[in-house]
Amino acid sequence: MQHTVLQILEQHHHERDFSGVCLLRQSDFDVVHRAFGLAHRGFRVPNNLDTRFDIASVTKIFTAAAIMQLVDQGKISLETRVMPFLEIEGTRISDDVTVFQCLTHTSGIGDDADEEDGEDYELLYVDRPNYAIRETRDFLPQCGWNEPKFAPGQGVRYNNCAFVLLGLVIEKAAGISYRDYVRRNIFGPAAMVTADFCAMDGICENLAEQYKRIEAENGQIQWRRNIYSYPPIGSPDGGATVAALDLARFLEAVSENRLMSEAASRQLLAPHVQRRESDRGSHWNGFAFEVDIDIDGVVVKLCKDGINAGVASICAWYPPTDTTCVILANQDCDVWHMLEEIEQIIE
């Protein structure tokens, strides 16, 4: 298995621009843990196993875990109505939107960039400075007055701003900033020693730069740093910076009930809203995770991915075999295809 997976990774590195780290772990044994490409193209600095990568929307699983900790403590509930709890009035976000709906993409909130409609997140910052979006509350003007897509609970549609609202809930319930809460209550207890929220305009050791692929009309490829493409520091909906091993440690901590009670951990890892069904089983939204169930009703896969300009990341856990696969890339790359190829080997 190890040799075949390495062949897949080498092919994607040489032929399909993969620059990053892949970790394939079964139980506590690392089948593959390998770095490829450059963390810094200008100085030709290679990626290494401890390199930190922006993981885009994979960050949402930390937000979901933080929410479940607060539910576990009785500070909020899954049925807490978000806007009344935050005491925010005058937006177009319904007062009936609940924490559960935000976690499962069933809130109906008008998003800042609607990914399901193919809207480009980068375009949000053509006419406004991306560096002005640093705190969780700074995102609200981008989505609070957008037309809702549907009434709360009456549909399913991927939504970034719902997780921004969850970040505001965390800040109010805990009395500290979202990033400090996650550092203290997720990264620390899970022994995610490399994880942080590294700012693009700060100094952060062993952080990979991110490169967007630009193809000229003559077919020539150039790589552009993505520093103007999205906010400069991670937020509840995306942008945490971690090494591949940190994500494996997070999944281990949740599955071993080290971050919250067993009941809360089960809820965090459970399917909640069905998306589609096939002859092989069904696909569900969980709390940030996407969950696959086979025809016998067994959860066979939990997954979360993330993509931004110059960022591609995916984290998948297969409970029946306790197998984890993490692929983090610091330039545009089809990590989804890579995972599909690896899955054919590990099934």
Side-chain angles (χ1 to χ4, degrees), residues 107-137:
S107 68
I109 297 168
D111 212 355
D112 51 6
D114 196 315
E115 295 183 17
E116 294 201 16
D117 278 347
E119 293 180 3
D120 190 340
Y121 190 82
E122 285 186 278
L123 297 182
L124 288 173
Y125 302 107
V126 171
D127 299 317
R128 71 188 80 177
N130 66 323
Y131 56 79
I133 310 296
R134 300 195 74 95
E135 303 302 328
T136 310
R137 62 181 178 272

Side-chain angles (χ1 to χ4, degrees), residues 154-216:
Q154 299 303 303
V156 186
R157 194 176 185 87
Y158 192 85
N159 194 287
N160 287 305
C161 282
F163 277 77
V164 171
L165 293 183
L166 291 175
L168 290 171
V169 168
I170 291 165
E171 291 181 342
K172 181 162 186 180
I176 56 176
S177 74
Y178 167 80
R179 289 189 283 268
D180 282 344
Y181 181 92
V182 172
R183 289 182 182 113
R184 296 177 193 178
N185 297 282
I186 306 293
F187 295 165
M192 300 167 64
V193 295
T194 318
D196 202 352
F197 293 92
C198 297
M200 290 181 181
D201 55 355
I203 305 300
C204 196
E205 292 183 3
N206 210 5
L207 174 66
E209 292 192 331
Q210 298 96 39
Y211 302 99
K212 180 176 180 177
R213 189 176 189 269
I214 305 295
E215 184 171 355

Side-chain angles (χ1 to χ4, degrees), residues 173-299:
I176 56 176
S177 74
Y178 167 80
R179 289 189 283 268
D180 282 344
Y181 181 92
V182 172
R183 289 182 182 113
R184 296 177 193 178
N185 297 282
I186 306 293
F187 295 165
M192 300 167 64
V193 295
T194 318
D196 202 352
F197 293 92
C198 297
M200 290 181 181
D201 55 355
I203 305 300
C204 196
E205 292 183 3
N206 210 5
L207 174 66
E209 292 192 331
Q210 298 96 39
Y211 302 99
K212 180 176 180 177
R213 189 176 189 269
I214 305 295
E215 184 171 355
E217 291 183 2
N218 63 4
Q220 184 177 359
I221 302 300
Q222 295 182 329
W223 297 96
R224 188 192 76 196
R225 289 182 63 195
N226 68 351
I227 57 174
Y228 301 115
S229 300
Y230 55 95
I233 189 167
S235 59
D237 68 325
T241 45
V242 309
L245 189 57
D246 290 320
L247 285 169
R249 287 173 173 159
F250 170 77
L251 290 170
E252 289 169 3
V254 174
S255 63
E256 295 170 2
N257 309 315
R258 289 190 277 117
L259 298 184
M260 61 197 76
S261 70
E262 182 179 356
S265 296
R266 282 202 307 267
Q267 279 192 301
L268 177 60
L269 300 175
H272 293 284
V273 176
Q274 186 170 334
R275 293 297 305 267
R276 58 184 179 270
E277 196 168 5
S278 71
D279 56 1
R280 298 187 62 184
S282 54
H283 184 78
W284 297 64
N285 280 2
F287 290 168
F289 289 102
E290 296 181 26
V291 185
D292 288 338
I293 300 177
D294 67 15
I295 56 175
D296 297 319
V298 176
V299 172

